[in-house]
Amino acid sequence: AQSVTQLGSHVSVSEGALVLLRCNYSSSVPPYLFWYVQYPNQGLQLLLKYTSAATLVKGINGFEAEFKKSETSFHLTKPSAHMSDAAEYFCAVSVTGGYQKVTFGTGTKLQVIP
Amino acid sequence: DAGVIQSPRHEVTEMGQEVTLRCKPISGHDYLFWYRQTMMRGLELLIYFNNNVPIDDSGMPEDRFSAKMPNASFSTLKIQPSEPRDSAVYFCASSLLGPNYGYTFGSGTRLTVV
């Protein structure tokens, strides 16, 4: 069965600083990987997804993530944090072929300090 | 497109009462998912449908929960009788091609059972 581990339930960064949210996955077959963002009192919104086409994936709002098979990682980054980036971020994994089921991580709350 | 529409946004009910949550997926999306989000358990997949047929209901907590999708544009999640531990945010999501291609979430229904 596939799983993801998000390191750090809370991350604080200063406005303008680099955002780095960590995600490691476990899967016995090639994975699909996702990052979702949840703003307060809203549903989750897809930021970006990795589906094996390219290891560096660019998403919305200036975010990107790099798939590193050797490290089983899919960390989310943004060069410069904005106040509007404050939200909760979820990493998720699914597997190619057969029965499709997405497993979500426990989430990381990003605080942006002015 | 109006996105995934859920109703009601908030529901407060007394223990033992029946609760019905409603969802209208994005037109043309063949997959519909019901998730529950709590602080303790995070995001849990309750059930999902493909072309109106339930595919996986292994996440439905117990017989008090039931879900239907009578047509491609409407689904319900019913809890009868409700209990305080059912208090959570319930999300509906839909997908065009399946979980591996990303979901679009609704804004959720915040259920409080007193």
Side-chain angles (χ1 to χ4, degrees), chain B residues 51-111:
Chain B
N51 292 322
N52 313 336
V53 176
I55 302 300
D56 182 358
D57 65 355
S58 61
M60 296 286 265
E62 48 199 275
D63 292 345
R64 297 185 297 107
F65 285 68
S66 62
K68 294 182 179 179
M69 192 164 187
N71 56 62
S73 59
F74 184 66
S75 177
T76 60
L77 178 68
K78 186 177 293 186
I79 308 172
Q80 166 64 21
S82 57
E83 297 182 2
R85 61 194 168 117
D86 302 330
S87 297
V89 181
Y90 290 81
F91 288 105
C92 176
S94 70
S95 177
L96 178 62
L97 297 174
N100 287 350
Y101 297 89
Y103 300 146
T104 300
F105 280 79
S107 297
T109 295
R110 181 174 296 277
L111 173 66

Side-chain angles (χ1 to χ4, degrees), chain A residues 45-66:
Chain A
Q45 179 183 1
L46 182 64
L47 267 180
L48 51 80
K49 60 185 177 187
Y50 166 76
T51 56
S52 77
T55 57
L56 183 62
V57 181
K58 294 186 184 299
I60 61 172
N61 302 338
F63 284 94
E64 63 181 35
E66 186 171 8

Side-chain angles (χ1 to χ4, degrees), chain B residues 4-9 11 18-25 32 34 68 73-78 90-93 106-109:
Chain B
V4 176
I5 300 173
Q6 291 187 247
S7 64
R9 286 297 311 271
E11 177 80 40
E18 176 180 296
V19 176
T20 300
L21 312 181
R22 297 173 175 80
C23 176
K24 177 179 169 56
L32 183 138
W34 282 100
K68 294 182 179 179
S73 59
F74 184 66
S75 177
T76 60
L77 178 68
K78 186 177 293 186
Y90 290 81
F91 288 105
C92 176
S107 297
T109 295

